[in-house]
Amino acid sequence: MTSPTSYSLPQIALHWVVAVVIAAQYLLDDGIGEAWHAVRDGLAPTYGPLVLAHIVGGVLVLALVAWRLGLRLRHGAPPPPEDEHPALQKAAKATHWALYALLIILPVSGLVAWFGGIRDAAEVHEILTNVLLGLVGLHVAAALFHHFVLKSEVMRRMVRPTA
């Protein structure tokens, strides 16, 4: 398989849809957080629309990431810029695969916690949510660094595919 020069249109679309759903997950966390704390304290939780939205969002992230991984394995990913330092290349690769792993582990741990009532899974979910936030911040900072400081095409190839 030859390395593409940019991501495909479906890969780009899935990247941004997952980004929006993840942002919504952070915003919808309060509803399910309150419901989980009620369950933990032995109270009956209130199942408002935010609880359902958070659960559906998690399942959606899991499905979209599986689809995206399938596309990546089938179509590949553009190589890093030729003049990029090998340490940056390794950091980028590790960050990308860590993001993929978290986007699988978080929905699974959330579903196990919620439907299985397993507190340890809820703790893992909560801790990894913060790790994801940090990695997303690193990912965004690296994209901006590439674009504005290194003047590379790294960010542009996730905005529009080349012919």
Side-chain angles (χ1 to χ4, degrees):
M1 169 176 32
T2 61
S3 291
T5 58
S6 70
Y7 291 97
S8 67
L9 187 57
Q11 286 172 305
I12 293 169
L14 285 169
H15 173 273
W16 293 109
V17 169
V18 168
V20 168
V21 174
I22 291 297
Q25 289 297 84
Y26 277 95
L27 296 174
L28 300 175
D29 181 59
D30 285 348
I32 200 159
E34 289 173 12
W36 175 258
H37 290 297
V39 168
R40 186 192 65 199
D41 295 339
L43 304 171
T46 54
Y47 294 99
L50 292 181
V51 171
L52 178 61
H54 192 80
I55 293 168
V56 170
V59 172
L60 183 60
V61 165
L62 191 57
L64 293 173
V65 168
W67 184 9
R68 187 154 174 228
L69 278 170
L71 286 173
R72 183 178 178 124
L73 293 174
R74 194 172 321 118
H75 298 291
E82 292 177 11
D83 58 346
E84 185 172 67
H85 192 279
L88 286 178
Q89 291 180 13
K90 288 179 183 176
K93 188 173 188 174
T95 301
H96 281 108
W97 287 109
L99 285 167
Y100 281 122
L102 286 171
L103 293 175
I104 292 168
I105 295 168
L106 277 165
V108 170
S109 64
L111 290 169
V112 168
W114 186 255
F115 291 108
I118 300 174
R119 290 181 186 202
D120 288 344
E123 291 297 321
V124 166
H125 187 76
E126 191 170 333
I127 291 166
L128 292 182
T129 296
N130 293 319
V131 173
L132 178 64
L133 187 59
L135 279 179
V136 167
L138 177 64
H139 182 66
V140 170
L144 294 172
F145 178 76
H146 270 276
H147 187 73
F148 292 110
V149 177
L150 300 179
K151 308 276 190 226
S152 75
E153 298 293 313
V154 167
M155 194 165 89
R156 202 167 282 119
R157 64 190 188 183
M158 190 45 86
V159 176
R160 65 177 177 275
T162 57

